[in-house]
Amino acid sequence: IPVGQGGDVLKTLQSKAETDQIPVIILTGLEMDALEKARLLKQGAKQIIIKPYKEAELLSAIQTHLLKI
């Protein structure tokens, strides 16, 4: 997803009844400051993972958030 559009996708998912319960984990190659991370989490993201990441980190996040739905 191009820069700046991940939040838009998140907002779209959150606005539709058929997708508003999908847990969203943001994967990004961009460094984010604390304010940007807080904004995305407040908007509904469940977790933000910065690339490069370990496979175990991603799998753990997916497992954690899928168990909550």
Side-chain angles (χ1 to χ4, degrees):
I1 297 176
V3 173
Q5 292 187 1
D8 295 335
V9 172
L10 179 59
K11 191 181 295 184
T12 299
L13 288 171
Q14 297 290 320
S15 71
K16 297 181 181 183
E18 60 271 9
T19 56
D20 69 350
Q21 296 301 308
I22 296 173
V24 176
I25 300 168
I26 295 178
L27 301 175
T28 182
L30 303 175
E31 287 297 323
M32 291 185 187
D33 63 24
L35 291 175
E36 178 67 7
K37 288 179 185 179
R39 184 185 69 78
L40 290 168
L41 293 169
K42 185 176 181 181
Q43 195 174 345
K46 299 299 181 194
Q47 190 167 344
I48 299 166
I49 297 176
I50 307 293
K51 298 176 190 174
Y53 55 86
K54 302 269 191 238
E55 182 179 327
E57 178 184 13
L58 178 58
L59 292 175
S60 175
I62 292 169
Q63 186 176 40
T64 296
H65 297 294
L66 286 179
L67 289 173
K68 293 180 180 178
I69 56 173

